[in-house]
Amino acid sequence: MKTSTEFKILIRRRIPYLNSFLLVVIIIFLICICILNLVMYPAIHSKSSLEMVFSYYNLVVPETLKVLSSYSFLGFIFVVPLYYKVRRHKPGILTFEEERILIKGQKIYIDTPKSRIEKIYCNDLKNIFGKPKRIFQSVIKNKEGLHTSFRLKDYETGGEFIDKLETLNVVLAGYENEMVIDHDEE
């Protein structure tokens, strides 16, 4: 942070159709693997030997399910890391200027005039058990309904960030759970 008006952030960028496609592919792979597990349930959970389980697999499981589950398992191993790579947060700098908020980073340039900001949501994220993750997330919603979601890189600057937001004369709101909104401004 160079001055009190600049904050290091991590902005969540996504490719909408690719994210959705990869998620659907992952779900299909998991369904195929679960079907194989369901068919193999009697053999796996009986107290029989490994040879009997293998024989059960060869004799009972249809050939199409064998091939489908093999491809699903291999595809799942390759697609999950790709899915998380597409969804990762990219570094940037959020700058408060006189009449606008500017977000700059590698291949990122978002210029939002203060007059277009409808509401800014802030949240100290928590895990599934309700314990703090030490991640401060913010979402800027403009009057056209577009959202820009980002996280502060340094959690400790959250208080200073909120103080700076209060000087903007915009509506600030908190939210209870993690707001799953990606950046959708082009």
Short mmCIF file of all heavy atoms in Angstrom, two decimals, residues 74-102:
data_model
loop_
_atom_site.label_atom_id
_atom_site.label_comp_id
_atom_site.label_asym_id
_atom_site.label_seq_id
_atom_site.Cartn_x
_atom_site.Cartn_y
_atom_site.Cartn_z
N LEU A 74 -10.49 -40.38 -14.92
CA LEU A 74 -9.36 -39.66 -15.50
C LEU A 74 -9.73 -38.20 -15.82
O LEU A 74 -8.94 -37.28 -15.58
CB LEU A 74 -8.88 -40.37 -16.76
CG LEU A 74 -8.22 -41.73 -16.54
CD1 LEU A 74 -7.93 -42.40 -17.88
CD2 LEU A 74 -6.96 -41.59 -15.72
N GLY A 75 -10.92 -38.00 -16.36
CA GLY A 75 -11.36 -36.65 -16.67
C GLY A 75 -11.49 -35.79 -15.43
O GLY A 75 -11.12 -34.61 -15.42
N PHE A 76 -12.00 -36.37 -14.36
CA PHE A 76 -12.14 -35.65 -13.09
C PHE A 76 -10.78 -35.18 -12.58
O PHE A 76 -10.64 -34.04 -12.14
CB PHE A 76 -12.81 -36.57 -12.05
CG PHE A 76 -13.09 -35.91 -10.74
CD1 PHE A 76 -14.15 -35.03 -10.60
CD2 PHE A 76 -12.27 -36.14 -9.65
CE1 PHE A 76 -14.40 -34.41 -9.39
CE2 PHE A 76 -12.51 -35.53 -8.44
CZ PHE A 76 -13.58 -34.67 -8.31
N ILE A 77 -9.77 -36.05 -12.68
CA ILE A 77 -8.42 -35.69 -12.23
C ILE A 77 -7.86 -34.51 -13.02
O ILE A 77 -7.17 -33.65 -12.46
CB ILE A 77 -7.48 -36.91 -12.34
CG1 ILE A 77 -7.87 -37.95 -11.28
CG2 ILE A 77 -6.03 -36.52 -12.18
CD1 ILE A 77 -7.13 -39.26 -11.40
N PHE A 78 -8.18 -34.42 -14.31
CA PHE A 78 -7.64 -33.34 -15.13
C PHE A 78 -8.50 -32.07 -15.10
O PHE A 78 -7.97 -30.97 -15.20
CB PHE A 78 -7.48 -33.80 -16.59
CG PHE A 78 -6.37 -34.79 -16.77
CD1 PHE A 78 -6.66 -36.09 -17.13
CD2 PHE A 78 -5.06 -34.44 -16.55
CE1 PHE A 78 -5.65 -37.02 -17.28
CE2 PHE A 78 -4.04 -35.35 -16.70
CZ PHE A 78 -4.33 -36.66 -17.06
N VAL A 79 -9.80 -32.20 -14.97
CA VAL A 79 -10.70 -31.05 -15.07
C VAL A 79 -10.76 -30.23 -13.78
O VAL A 79 -10.84 -29.00 -13.82
CB VAL A 79 -12.11 -31.49 -15.52
CG1 VAL A 79 -13.10 -30.35 -15.44
CG2 VAL A 79 -12.06 -32.04 -16.93
N VAL A 80 -10.68 -30.88 -12.61
CA VAL A 80 -10.78 -30.14 -11.34
C VAL A 80 -9.67 -29.10 -11.20
O VAL A 80 -9.95 -27.93 -10.88
CB VAL A 80 -10.82 -31.12 -10.14
CG1 VAL A 80 -10.62 -30.38 -8.83
CG2 VAL A 80 -12.15 -31.84 -10.11
N PRO A 81 -8.38 -29.42 -11.44
CA PRO A 81 -7.37 -28.35 -11.35
C PRO A 81 -7.59 -27.23 -12.37
O PRO A 81 -7.37 -26.06 -12.06
CB PRO A 81 -6.05 -29.08 -11.64
CG PRO A 81 -6.32 -30.51 -11.33
CD PRO A 81 -7.76 -30.73 -11.65
N LEU A 82 -8.07 -27.59 -13.55
CA LEU A 82 -8.36 -26.58 -14.57
C LEU A 82 -9.48 -25.66 -14.11
O LEU A 82 -9.42 -24.44 -14.29
CB LEU A 82 -8.72 -27.26 -15.89
CG LEU A 82 -9.02 -26.35 -17.07
CD1 LEU A 82 -7.80 -25.54 -17.43
CD2 LEU A 82 -9.49 -27.19 -18.25
N TYR A 83 -10.50 -26.23 -13.50
CA TYR A 83 -11.62 -25.44 -12.99
C TYR A 83 -11.15 -24.44 -11.94
O TYR A 83 -11.55 -23.27 -11.97
CB TYR A 83 -12.67 -26.39 -12.40
CG TYR A 83 -13.85 -25.71 -11.77
CD1 TYR A 83 -14.81 -25.08 -12.55
CD2 TYR A 83 -14.01 -25.69 -10.40
CE1 TYR A 83 -15.90 -24.46 -11.98
CE2 TYR A 83 -15.10 -25.07 -9.81
CZ TYR A 83 -16.04 -24.46 -10.61
OH TYR A 83 -17.11 -23.83 -10.03
N TYR A 84 -10.30 -24.86 -11.02
CA TYR A 84 -9.81 -23.95 -9.98
C TYR A 84 -8.84 -22.92 -10.54
O TYR A 84 -8.78 -21.80 -10.05
CB TYR A 84 -9.19 -24.73 -8.82
CG TYR A 84 -10.24 -25.29 -7.92
CD1 TYR A 84 -10.53 -26.65 -7.92
CD2 TYR A 84 -11.00 -24.48 -7.10
CE1 TYR A 84 -11.53 -27.17 -7.11
CE2 TYR A 84 -12.00 -24.98 -6.30
CZ TYR A 84 -12.25 -26.33 -6.30
OH TYR A 84 -13.24 -26.82 -5.51
N LYS A 85 -8.11 -23.25 -11.57
CA LYS A 85 -7.22 -22.27 -12.19
C LYS A 85 -8.01 -21.16 -12.86
O LYS A 85 -7.65 -20.00 -12.79
CB LYS A 85 -6.30 -22.95 -13.21
CG LYS A 85 -5.31 -22.01 -13.85
CD LYS A 85 -4.25 -22.75 -14.57
CE LYS A 85 -3.28 -21.84 -15.29
NZ LYS A 85 -2.59 -20.91 -14.45
N VAL A 86 -9.12 -21.51 -13.49
CA VAL A 86 -9.97 -20.52 -14.15
C VAL A 86 -10.61 -19.58 -13.13
O VAL A 86 -10.82 -18.41 -13.39
CB VAL A 86 -11.05 -21.23 -15.00
CG1 VAL A 86 -12.10 -20.26 -15.50
CG2 VAL A 86 -10.40 -21.93 -16.17
N ARG A 87 -10.90 -20.08 -11.92
CA ARG A 87 -11.61 -19.30 -10.91
C ARG A 87 -10.71 -18.54 -9.95
O ARG A 87 -11.18 -17.92 -9.03
CB ARG A 87 -12.49 -20.24 -10.08
CG ARG A 87 -13.60 -20.84 -10.84
CD ARG A 87 -14.38 -21.79 -9.99
NE ARG A 87 -14.72 -21.26 -8.70
CZ ARG A 87 -15.83 -20.61 -8.41
NH1 ARG A 87 -16.71 -20.42 -9.34
NH2 ARG A 87 -16.06 -20.17 -7.20
N ARG A 88 -9.43 -18.57 -10.12
CA ARG A 88 -8.55 -17.97 -9.14
C ARG A 88 -8.64 -16.45 -9.10
O ARG A 88 -9.14 -15.82 -10.03
CB ARG A 88 -7.11 -18.41 -9.37
CG ARG A 88 -6.49 -17.77 -10.57
CD ARG A 88 -5.06 -18.18 -10.68
NE ARG A 88 -4.43 -17.32 -11.66
CZ ARG A 88 -3.31 -17.57 -12.24
NH1 ARG A 88 -2.66 -18.65 -11.92
NH2 ARG A 88 -2.81 -16.75 -13.11
N HIS A 89 -8.15 -15.89 -8.02
CA HIS A 89 -8.16 -14.43 -7.83
C HIS A 89 -6.87 -13.84 -8.39
O HIS A 89 -5.79 -14.37 -8.14
CB HIS A 89 -8.29 -14.11 -6.35
CG HIS A 89 -9.61 -14.47 -5.79
ND1 HIS A 89 -9.95 -15.74 -5.42
CD2 HIS A 89 -10.70 -13.72 -5.54
CE1 HIS A 89 -11.17 -15.76 -4.96
NE2 HIS A 89 -11.66 -14.55 -5.02
N LYS A 90 -6.99 -12.74 -9.11
CA LYS A 90 -5.83 -12.10 -9.71
C LYS A 90 -5.51 -10.81 -8.95
O LYS A 90 -6.41 -10.09 -8.54
CB LYS A 90 -6.09 -11.80 -11.18
CG LYS A 90 -6.35 -13.08 -11.95
CD LYS A 90 -6.33 -12.88 -13.41
CE LYS A 90 -6.54 -14.25 -14.04
NZ LYS A 90 -6.56 -14.24 -15.44
N PRO A 91 -4.22 -10.53 -8.74
CA PRO A 91 -3.85 -9.34 -7.97
C PRO A 91 -4.13 -8.04 -8.72
O PRO A 91 -4.09 -7.99 -9.95
CB PRO A 91 -2.35 -9.53 -7.74
CG PRO A 91 -1.89 -10.45 -8.80
CD PRO A 91 -3.07 -11.31 -9.17
N GLY A 92 -4.40 -7.01 -7.95
CA GLY A 92 -4.65 -5.69 -8.51
C GLY A 92 -4.51 -4.63 -7.42
O GLY A 92 -4.25 -4.94 -6.26
N ILE A 93 -4.67 -3.38 -7.83
CA ILE A 93 -4.61 -2.25 -6.91
C ILE A 93 -5.91 -1.47 -7.03
O ILE A 93 -6.32 -1.09 -8.13
CB ILE A 93 -3.43 -1.30 -7.25
CG1 ILE A 93 -2.11 -2.05 -7.24
CG2 ILE A 93 -3.42 -0.09 -6.34
CD1 ILE A 93 -1.31 -1.96 -5.99
N LEU A 94 -6.57 -1.25 -5.90
CA LEU A 94 -7.78 -0.44 -5.87
C LEU A 94 -7.36 0.96 -5.41
O LEU A 94 -6.72 1.09 -4.36
CB LEU A 94 -8.80 -1.03 -4.90
CG LEU A 94 -10.10 -0.24 -4.80
CD1 LEU A 94 -11.27 -1.18 -5.00
CD2 LEU A 94 -10.20 0.44 -3.48
N THR A 95 -7.72 1.97 -6.18
CA THR A 95 -7.34 3.34 -5.87
C THR A 95 -8.59 4.20 -5.73
O THR A 95 -9.47 4.17 -6.60
CB THR A 95 -6.46 3.93 -6.99
OG1 THR A 95 -5.36 3.05 -7.22
CG2 THR A 95 -5.93 5.30 -6.62
N PHE A 96 -8.68 4.93 -4.63
CA PHE A 96 -9.75 5.90 -4.44
C PHE A 96 -9.27 7.24 -4.98
O PHE A 96 -8.30 7.80 -4.48
CB PHE A 96 -10.09 6.04 -2.95
CG PHE A 96 -10.77 4.84 -2.37
CD1 PHE A 96 -10.04 3.90 -1.66
CD2 PHE A 96 -12.12 4.64 -2.53
CE1 PHE A 96 -10.65 2.80 -1.12
CE2 PHE A 96 -12.75 3.54 -1.99
CZ PHE A 96 -12.01 2.61 -1.28
N GLU A 97 -9.95 7.75 -6.00
CA GLU A 97 -9.61 9.05 -6.55
C GLU A 97 -10.76 10.00 -6.25
O GLU A 97 -11.77 9.61 -5.68
CB GLU A 97 -9.31 8.94 -8.04
CG GLU A 97 -8.07 8.10 -8.31
CD GLU A 97 -7.69 8.06 -9.78
OE1 GLU A 97 -8.46 8.60 -10.62
OE2 GLU A 97 -6.65 7.47 -10.09
N GLU A 98 -10.64 11.27 -6.67
CA GLU A 98 -11.63 12.29 -6.36
C GLU A 98 -13.04 11.90 -6.77
O GLU A 98 -13.96 11.96 -5.99
CB GLU A 98 -11.25 13.61 -7.03
CG GLU A 98 -10.05 14.30 -6.43
CD GLU A 98 -10.29 14.76 -5.01
OE1 GLU A 98 -11.41 15.23 -4.71
OE2 GLU A 98 -9.37 14.64 -4.20
N GLU A 99 -13.22 11.49 -8.02
CA GLU A 99 -14.56 11.22 -8.54
C GLU A 99 -14.77 9.77 -8.97
O GLU A 99 -15.78 9.48 -9.61
CB GLU A 99 -14.84 12.14 -9.74
CG GLU A 99 -14.91 13.61 -9.38
CD GLU A 99 -16.01 13.92 -8.38
OE1 GLU A 99 -17.11 13.35 -8.52
OE2 GLU A 99 -15.77 14.71 -7.46
N ARG A 100 -13.84 8.87 -8.66
CA ARG A 100 -13.99 7.50 -9.13
C ARG A 100 -13.19 6.53 -8.28
O ARG A 100 -12.30 6.92 -7.52
CB ARG A 100 -13.57 7.38 -10.59
CG ARG A 100 -12.11 7.73 -10.79
CD ARG A 100 -11.78 7.80 -12.24
NE ARG A 100 -10.39 8.22 -12.38
CZ ARG A 100 -9.65 7.96 -13.40
NH1 ARG A 100 -10.14 7.27 -14.40
NH2 ARG A 100 -8.42 8.38 -13.45
N ILE A 101 -13.53 5.27 -8.45
CA ILE A 101 -12.75 4.17 -7.87
C ILE A 101 -12.13 3.44 -9.05
O ILE A 101 -12.82 3.07 -10.00
CB ILE A 101 -13.64 3.22 -7.05
CG1 ILE A 101 -14.18 3.94 -5.83
CG2 ILE A 101 -12.84 1.99 -6.63
CD1 ILE A 101 -15.13 3.11 -5.01
N LEU A 102 -10.84 3.22 -8.98
CA LEU A 102 -10.10 2.63 -10.08
C LEU A 102 -9.45 1.33 -9.62
O LEU A 102 -8.82 1.29 -8.57
CB LEU A 102 -9.03 3.62 -10.55
CG LEU A 102 -8.25 3.28 -11.79
CD1 LEU A 102 -9.16 3.24 -12.99
CD2 LEU A 102 -7.16 4.33 -12.00
#
